[in-house]
Amino acid sequence: MRFDFLHASFFHANKKAKGFTLLELVIGIVVLAISFSVITSFIVPQSEKSANQIHQIRAAELGQSLMNEILAKAFDEQSDLAGGAIRCGEAGLNTCTTKPNFGPDGGETRANFDDVDDYDGLDETGDSIENITGSQIQSDALESLYLGYRVTVSVTYDDTYDNSNAGSLVKRIDITVTTPSGETVQFATYKANF
């Protein structure tokens, strides 16, 4: 009988130890929630940093592409568009375009810009960002490659580059690309009148 008593109390003790109390469950849930929130607070900033790198690469591609496009154009509307045989501002020739007259000449569109200062004031965003032919840049039919990006261009004469001709020999081109996260990537170069 003693054996049965020990055996019965052993099973009775195990029945008690098998379950959790409500208090233990609540404490476990709270601890689990706190640990998930701590882990999430470390993961989310890392994912944003990862996306920023992709945005920077796309901004650099866009800026460099636009820079190459602009530098391939003539210095000025009054210059020889084929490569510098006639330069504006030389004795007996037409003067170079002045800053207030920068921008597209007449009815020019991006597809037929022919000189550097035509790009002054260019401001394109997202789906309206165009390539050299004036077509929208898209990765596929469903999604724009530069959705959320903005590109602006400013062209001006640079007096600090060459003081001998009051700055009419050199135009400074500034391109600013803004990523979807609000970061700006800036590019600058010069186009000379020779």
Side-chain angles (χ1 to χ4, degrees), residues 74-79 86-91 93-99 102 116-117 155-172 190-194:
F75 175 78
D76 194 85
E77 190 71 30
Q78 304 300 325
S79 296
I86 301 172
R87 296 183 297 180
C88 66
E90 289 184 329
L93 298 176
N94 294 333
T95 59
C96 297
T97 306
T98 58
K99 174 62 177 161
F102 280 7
V116 170
D117 62 69
V155 179
T156 185
Y157 284 111
D158 193 343
D159 296 333
T160 61
Y161 189 81
D162 183 10
N163 290 330
S164 65
N165 198 11
S168 64
L169 289 178
V170 177
K171 291 179 182 174
R172 179 183 167 110
Y190 293 97
K191 177 76 173 186
N193 189 14
F194 48 82

Side-chain angles (χ1 to χ4, degrees), residues 37-53:
S37 65
V38 168
I39 290 171
T40 304
S41 69
F42 288 121
I43 292 174
V44 169
Q46 296 303 321
S47 65
E48 289 176 4
K49 287 181 183 179
S50 176
N52 283 343
Q53 293 172 353

Side-chain angles (χ1 to χ4, degrees), residues 19-32:
F20 294 105
T21 65
L22 182 59
L23 182 61
E24 290 172 333
L25 284 174
V26 169
I27 290 172
I29 291 171
V30 168
V31 168
L32 191 62

